[in-house]
Structures are given as C-alpha cells and as structure tokens.
Amino acid sequence: QVGFFRDSAMSLFARIGGFSAGFAALGAAETFLTKKLAGSIPMLAEKASVEVPRLYGLVVAGAVGTGWLMFVLGMNVGMSRNKFIEKAKKEGDEHAEARYSYPKTYAEGFGETAKEFNCVQRAHQQAMETYPQMLAFSLLGGLRHPIMATLGQLVWIVARWKWAQGYSTGKPDQRYATKWGFHIWTSLIMEMTLAVSAGLGIMKIV
C-alpha cells in the first residue's frame, strides 16, 4: 500500500511538472513572438498606464458593501441552524442535531423543514457562486466607469437581498417574487460589460 501511494504521488508530481513545463514554454513563446512582431504590430510593444479616477473610492466602498451582504447571508444560515434543530425536535425528528448541525451543508431528507432550511442555505450558496465574478467585474469596470459600476453594485446588493428573502421562505419560486430578483443577473451583466469596456480602454481600442 505504501508503494501504491508513493507511485501515485510520483505520477502526480510528474504530471504537475509536465504541465508547468508546457506553460513555461508557452510563456516563452509569447515573449519571443511579441518581440518579433512588435515592429509590425505596435500594440504588442506599447505600455499602458492606468489612472484611477477619484470617484473610484465609491467603487471600493460598494465592494465593501457587497462583502457585508455576503457576511449577513452567511450569518443567516448559521443562526438558522439552531432554529431548525429546535423545530425538527418538536416535530419528533430524533436525528435533528445531526441533520442540521455542522459540518452538514444541506439537510438530508425530503420533509418540509429540511426543504425550508436548504432554501435558506441555497440563498447564500447561490450568491457565492457568482460573487467572485461580480466583485472582479465591478472593480475592473470601475476603473473607467466608477459611477455606473457603483450603481451596479448597489442594485446587486438590493436584488440579492430581495432574492434571498424570497428563497428563504422555503418556496424556491419566491426568489423571483419581486422584480428586484431578476436584477441579480442584469447588474452582473452590466458589470461584465463595464469590465470589457475598461479592458478595451486600456488597450486604447475604444
């Protein structure tokens, strides 16, 4: 068994080494080609400087706001655990502690109580799935469009909160019960567009 693990580890390191060597070669090729073609394609050799607008401070503040919302959604799940443990016990669930306590992410079972808890958890989990993109796009797009990026952040915060409230009712279809719910996507698309604009601006294309 020791030999098996040793061989597996060696195989893994060999693969990592192979990937690293391949990526290093591609990086070297990019550097070579960039220098080679710089004469005919000036953009390859040009350097760009990015000036941060004073209003970018609003974008930073907005980013903190989105992080605070994620913290609140996470705390909501944590505080809900004891609530659902007590509720399940009253319903006669002898496995209530194990079902709703850490490290369980979702409660097992098909009962309404388990479903309701899972909806609270999902309201946070789904937000986590797109939060890195939202944060990155807004910070990048804000370099060129600080006002629009901040507006997108504010819309996202309100929309996310409304979306989570609807989901946490235990009825998944309620996540879009208000018009705000759909704006978790429109705000994300807007921030994505602003980030693309910022990138094109850095390259002096538009």
Side-chain angles (χ1 to χ4, degrees):
Q1 191 173 13
V2 174
F4 170 77
F5 285 116
R6 183 183 60 212
D7 292 342
S8 296
M10 292 299 293
S11 176
L12 177 61
F13 287 135
R15 289 187 179 185
I16 293 174
F19 281 127
S20 298
F23 292 140
L26 289 173
E30 179 190 4
T31 302
F32 173 78
L33 291 174
T34 298
K35 292 180 179 179
K36 193 77 171 176
L37 300 173
S40 55
I41 308 177
M43 183 190 299
L44 295 176
E46 292 177 355
K47 304 296 181 182
S49 60
V50 179
E51 293 185 358
V52 179
R54 188 171 183 178
L55 288 178
Y56 191 74
L58 295 175
V59 183
V60 174
V64 174
T66 62
W68 177 253
L69 174 66
M70 294 300 295
F71 172 75
V72 171
L73 293 179
M75 288 295 293
N76 190 38
V77 177
M79 291 186 294
S80 293
R81 290 184 182 275
N82 288 331
K83 168 189 169 183
F84 282 97
I85 287 173
E86 294 303 317
K87 184 177 180 180
K89 284 182 177 179
K90 289 180 180 178
E91 295 173 348
D93 184 357
E94 60 183 21
H95 301 294
E97 290 281 354
R99 195 183 309 278
Y100 297 99
S101 297
Y102 292 110
K104 291 290 182 65
T105 302
Y106 294 99
E108 298 172 348
F110 300 98
E112 285 300 315
T113 302
K115 178 183 177 183
E116 188 177 346
F117 172 77
N118 289 339
C119 284
V120 175
Q121 173 67 284
R122 185 60 186 157
H124 176 233
Q125 191 72 29
Q126 202 278 342
M128 291 176 61
E129 292 170 5
T130 56
Y131 181 59
Q133 299 94 305
M134 176 64 190
L135 185 62
F137 291 152
S138 63
L139 291 175
L140 293 172
L143 291 171
R144 191 177 191 184
H145 308 282
I147 296 176
M148 287 292 292
T150 304
L151 177 62
Q153 290 171 328
L154 294 176
V155 170
W156 186 85
I157 289 171
V158 175
R160 266 292 164 199
W161 177 248
K162 294 289 186 181
W163 193 91
Q165 281 185 317
Y167 214 150
S168 297
T169 61
K171 300 177 181 178
D173 58 339
Q174 289 299 303
R175 65 194 190 280
Y176 293 114
T178 69
K179 293 182 180 179
W180 277 104
F182 290 98
H183 291 302
I184 63 173
W185 304 115
T186 55
S187 57
L188 178 62
I189 293 171
M190 183 177 81
E191 298 291 9
M192 186 187 305
T193 305
L194 297 179
V196 171
S197 174
L200 294 175
I202 292 174
M203 292 189 292
K204 298 180 180 179
I205 295 177
V206 295

